[in-house]
């Protein structure tokens, strides 16, 4: 795309466009530097392994981390079977006949809408259905179920793309041998698509980890160590919110928790990159 | 019509064992076949016979619909949004009838494609996976594995590394593995879609010898653009040509007859041109 | 269609899962509607627009200031973010050295994953005092716009870069070959050719901004009075729900569910616009 020669006018425009890029970089460096520099002082082994005390001002976040894990696992347990099943149907069965194609159009439309629903609204839905109608109350289970609904569109999108990327020759050969689709999917397509599926899964975990609003009224605020999935528990992002907004003097631990959250997401992001690279290497 | 329904039923109850017990390879008869994609005609008025236990080569310029024609015979055409008219008889059954169990049909008809395409698993599993799918068990599995790898001349080359990925084999070996994979299901009909065109001359020679060896026990319908190969192998030849964008069979018959005394001017032009080219390159 | 026995069961199971996935959005809409029903379709329904203020404890439910707050923050954030995203995307794609473009993209990928609560927290601790030292209390429409625009910027930039990348490089090279300057190439070829993708990015990010809760909740001040100035506090629909849901009862609760419906409708209008322009684009492509 680049050509060596640049006119005088282009040089000026280059300068002009350089500024917004630098401003953006500057602001984000400021944001990250702030969180890291303020958070690192509060971060310690004790912080990660102690229970919160004094409304979170003192102590650590071990129960918060445990709650976060439980909510994430429940969300994945819910979203993965539904997501994988839907993705398999969309990628492998929807194109078989006219009806399937028509249904697929509507399924995709519905998932697009779901992806657009604001997380606070999903939270309201979760509250009305899981907490009240199903009688789960504020609980990790209700939070996980709500979060599962939220990450479904992203998960299905990436799983379907992963399945579709598997070369078609395998499918044609399998059909010519008269094999059942079930065993072809199980023995060939899923193993072949595994890295892409894993990447989609990690992406969804990242999204789930960053979510706050949907969990405010579903998994709740309680900072105790959860004893079962029916207990209420606070996730990392809600902890940051609560310490910053409702607890005077909670800033220090809010910073440290935010840093833990960012590090977790960074870890997920780098694992994702690695998985994608492995996949790309296998393709070649 | 009742016959084809009966055929469907008959196939439903066949197992690998009783297929091998069935009588010899069947003849294929294609009658008034037409094929169109979304209103656009690709093939029309296809009429020819593939004799039982013989090799019939389907030749013609690229893009004339030879491969599409082949895919009708095992109903692979079902996968695409295309409309098929006419009749295809295998032995006495019209396999285009809607009541035919296509899964059993495809099992009885082996197909090998242009590009060698083993499954992304071990050499052993490439053969055993389809067999298990059909309920073959125990010692029978290992025996079928060895028999078929021997049949395609691959056994001595791979017997020490059966658990290696099939994808590390050379192109020619992969193609022979694909032959072994489809032969292990005991088909009586083989559809070969330019099986040598992606291979080097040495591998082509081996595959050609294999095809020759499979003659008589199988009815073979083979698409090729290599006229020399058609001449070497085929008992019969059908020439497919395009006219006004629609493919049709302009001539078919015994190989020597068609090559040496083409009845149709289009055939003469196609064969003459190609043969001259082949000779000059030799 | 003939299927293996195992496939018949398998497809049945898949269909069930697909139904479940496709029905979630309908369920959400249905539940919102049932919960909002006692308020929306009773004599209270009109109150959303006719009451004097939003003061649920005294039975006053004027939602207009909150709706305006949502619109102001969203429009403001998008109008701040768009020029920055566009400028940086053009810079990365046409003017910056290749290593910078690549680095910038991967940094934006990381930033796109930062939770909104972290943006909100940073806004609360850093931006609010900063704005306050200039004018007003700090927790204001302006702060909300800044934080929200920062939040949608990474994804917006990534989408804009992707849209520019989709312009066929032959067109660009062809333009250079004619001796056109870079800027002329961008203006006459790259931008028109990527306009559709840009619009797509804009609508998607507006959807995100309109539904965002945490970032605005933490920095906007959350007053339910009519928003008049950049330095006045505002409250958005999403923040309103987050703030009051915990203690809302009966009619108040139903009013909040009604406001969620209003939010959904706003989002759906944006999504519909997006789909509409996608269709326009695809028919335009089909003809050419």
């Amino acid at each position: 795309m680049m050509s060596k020669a640049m006119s005088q006018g282009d040089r000026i425009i280059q300068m002009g466009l350089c500024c917004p890029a630098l401003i953006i970089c500057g602001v984000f460096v400021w944001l990250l530097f702030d969180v890291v520099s303020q958070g690192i002082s509060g971060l310690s082994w004790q912080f990660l392994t102690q229970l919160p005390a004094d409304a979170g001002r003192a102590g650590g976040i071990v129960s918060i981390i445990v709650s976060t894990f439980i909510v994430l696992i429940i969300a994945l347990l819910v979203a993965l079977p539904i997501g994988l099943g839907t993705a398999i149907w969309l990628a492998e069965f929807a194109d078989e006949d006219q009806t399937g194609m028509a249904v697929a159009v509507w399924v995709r439309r519905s998932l697009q809408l779901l992806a657009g629903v604001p997380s606070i609204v999903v939270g309201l839905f979760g509250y009305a259905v899981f907490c009240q109608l199903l009688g789960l109350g504020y609980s990790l289970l209700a939070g996980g179920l709500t979060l599962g609904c939220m990450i479904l569109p992203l998960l299905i999108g990436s799983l379907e793309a992963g399945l579709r990327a598997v070369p078609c020759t395998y499918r044609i050969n399998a059909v010519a041998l008269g094999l059942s689709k079930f065993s072809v999917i199980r023995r060939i397509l899923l193993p072949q698509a595994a890295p892409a599926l894993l990447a989609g899964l990690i992406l969804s975990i990242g999204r789930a980890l960053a979510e706050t609003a949907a969990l405010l009224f579903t998994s709740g605020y309680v900072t105790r160590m959860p004893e079962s999935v029916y207990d209420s528990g606070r996730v990392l992002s809600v902890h940051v919110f609560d310490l910053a907004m409702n607890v005077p003097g909670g800033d220090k631990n809010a910073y440290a928790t935010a840093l833990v959250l960012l590090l977790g997401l960074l870890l997920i992001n780098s694992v994702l990159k690695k998985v994608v690279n492995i996949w790309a290497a296998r393709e070649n | 019509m009742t016959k084809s329904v009966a055929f469907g039923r008959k196939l439903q109850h066949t197992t690998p064992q009783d297929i091998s017990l069935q009588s010899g390879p069947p003849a294929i008869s294609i009658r008034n076949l037409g094929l169109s994609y979304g209103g656009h005609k690709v093939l029309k008025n296809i009429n020819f016979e593939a004799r039982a236990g013989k090799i019939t080569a389907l030749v013609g310029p690229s893009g004339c619909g030879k491969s599409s024609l082949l895919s009708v015979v095992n109903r692979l055409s079902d996968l695409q949004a295309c409309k098929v008219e006419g009749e295809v008889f295998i032995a006495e059954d019209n396999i285009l009838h809607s009541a035919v169990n296509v899964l059993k049909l495809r099992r009885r008809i082996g197909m090998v494609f242009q590009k060698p395409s083993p499954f992304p698993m071990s050499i052993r599993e490439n053969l055993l996976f389809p067999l298990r799918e059909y309920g073959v068990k125990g010692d029978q599995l290992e025996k079928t594995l060895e028999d078929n790898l021997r049949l395609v001349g691959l056994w001595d080359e791979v017997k020490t590394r059966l658990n290696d990925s099939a994808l590390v084999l050379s192109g020619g070996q992969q193609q022979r593995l694909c032959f072994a994979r489809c032969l292990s299901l005991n088909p009586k009909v083989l559809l070969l879609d330019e099986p040598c065109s992606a291979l080097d001359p040495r591998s082509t020679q081996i595959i050609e010898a294999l095809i020759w060896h499979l003659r008589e026990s199988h009815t073979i319908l083979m698409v090729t653009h290599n006229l020399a190969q058609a001449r070497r192998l085929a008992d019969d030849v059908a020439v497919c040509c395009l006219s006004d964008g629609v493919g049709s069979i302009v001539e078919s018959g015994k190989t020597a007859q068609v090559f040496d005394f083409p009845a149709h001017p289009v055939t003469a032009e196609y064969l003459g041109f190609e043969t001259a080219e082949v000779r000059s390159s030799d | 269609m003939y299927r293996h026995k195992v496939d018949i069961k398998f497809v049945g199971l898949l269909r069930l899962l697909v139904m479940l996935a496709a029905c979630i959005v309908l369920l959400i809409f249905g539940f919102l509607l049932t919960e909002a029903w006692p308020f929306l379709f009773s004599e209270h329904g009109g109150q959303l627009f006719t009451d004097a203020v939003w003061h649920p404890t005294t039975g006053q439910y004027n939602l207009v200031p909150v709706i305006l707050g949502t619109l102001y923050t969203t429009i403001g954030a998008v109008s701040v973010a768009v020029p920055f995203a566009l400028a940086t995307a053009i810079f990365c794609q046409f003017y910056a050295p290749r290593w910078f473009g690549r680095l910038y993209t991967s940094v934006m990928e990381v930033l796109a994953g930062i939770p909104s609560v972290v943006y909100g927290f940073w806004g609360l601790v850093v931006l609010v005092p900063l704005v306050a030292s200039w004018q007003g209390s700090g927790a204001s429409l302006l702060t909300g716009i800044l934080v929200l625009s920062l939040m949608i910027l990474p994804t917006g930039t990534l989408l804009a870069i992707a849209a520019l990348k989709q312009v066929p490089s032959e067109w660009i090279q062809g333009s250079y070959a004619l001796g056109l300057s870079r800027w002329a190439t961008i203006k006459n070829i790259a931008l028109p050719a990527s306009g559709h993708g840009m619009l797509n990015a804009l609508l998607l990010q507006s959807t995100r901004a309109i539904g965002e809760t945490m970032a605005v909740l933490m920095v906007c001040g959350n007053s339910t009075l009519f928003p008049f100035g950049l330095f006045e506090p505002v409250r958005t629909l999403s923040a309103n729900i987050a703030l009051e849901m915990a203690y809302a009862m009966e009619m108040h609760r139903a009013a909040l569910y009604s406001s969620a419906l209003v939010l959904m409708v706003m989002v759906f209008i944006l999504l519909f616009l997006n789909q509409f322009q996608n269709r326009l684009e695809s028919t335009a492509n089909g003809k050419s």
Side-chain angles (χ1 to χ4, degrees), chain C residues 38-115:
Chain C
F39 181 87
L40 211 51
F41 297 94
S42 65
E43 70 279 8
H44 297 289
Q47 283 182 291
L48 284 180
F49 304 101
T50 55
D51 272 358
V53 286
W54 173 270
H55 204 261
T57 40
T58 60
Q60 293 196 294
Y61 299 107
N62 186 357
L63 206 57
V64 177
V66 184
I67 293 175
L68 283 182
T70 309
L71 287 179
Y72 288 171
T73 44
T74 303
I75 294 170
V78 170
S79 21
V80 172
V82 161
F84 276 101
L86 201 58
T88 45
I90 291 173
F91 181 71
C92 286
Q93 199 61 13
F94 292 99
Y95 288 98
R98 200 161 277 176
W99 63 265
F100 181 83
R102 224 175 280 151
L103 180 74
Y104 197 78
T105 313
S106 52
V107 169
M108 284 297 141
E109 272 167 15
V110 175
L111 292 176
I114 293 186

Side-chain angles (χ1 to χ4, degrees), chain B residues 92-133:
Chain B
E92 276 139 27
D93 309 298
N94 177 10
I95 56 113
L96 293 186
H97 193 277
S98 59
V100 168
N101 180 337
V102 291
L103 302 170
K104 298 281 149 99
L105 172 77
R106 286 180 189 141
R107 252 205 73 190
R108 221 175 73 152
I109 303 178
M111 186 161 186
V112 177
F113 297 87
Q114 179 173 3
K115 194 171 161 250
S117 42
F119 292 135
M121 31 178 91
S122 69
I123 297 169
R124 179 199 300 276
E125 276 305 296
N126 256 284
L127 265 80
L128 297 195
F129 163 47
L131 283 171
R132 267 196 224 108
E133 186 73 355

Side-chain angles (χ1 to χ4, degrees), chain A residues 9-26:
Chain A
D10 269 337
R11 293 239 170 262
I12 296 168
I13 290 164
Q14 187 184 26
M15 292 297 170
L17 288 177
C18 191
C19 294
L22 288 181
I23 293 174
I24 299 297
C25 287

Side-chain angles (χ1 to χ4, degrees), chain B residues 225-246:
Chain B
H225 61 246
N226 181 342
L227 290 177
Q229 185 181 57
R231 197 159 195 163
R232 279 197 295 275
L233 285 176
D235 298 289
D236 298 333
V237 170
V239 184
C240 186
C241 277
L242 275 179
S243 61
D244 300 330
V246 185

Side-chain angles (χ1 to χ4, degrees), chain A residues 1 3 10 13-14 21 24 28 30 34 93 96 110 116 120 124 127 132 178 180-182 217 265 273, chain C residues 3-4 7 11 22 88 95 104 109 111 115 121-122 126 153 176 182-183 213-214 245 253 257 267 275:
Chain A
M1 284 242 171
S3 68
D10 269 337
I13 290 164
Q14 187 184 26
I24 299 297
F28 279 112
W30 182 14
D34 187 58
F93 290 92
E96 276 181 348
S110 143
I120 185 85
L124 276 188
Y127 177 65
Q132 297 196 312
S180 70
K181 278 200 153 186
F182 174 70
F217 313 116
L265 285 165
K273 276 248 157 97
Chain C
R3 287 197 198 282
H4 279 265
D7 275 355
V11 169
T88 45
Y95 288 98
Y104 197 78
E109 272 167 15
L111 292 176
F121 176 54
W122 179 75
V126 176
L153 200 61
Y176 286 158
R182 267 183 220 191
W183 181 244
T213 313
M214 304 321 290
M245 195 57 211
R253 211 181 101 112
Y257 273 94
V267 167
Q275 194 139 48

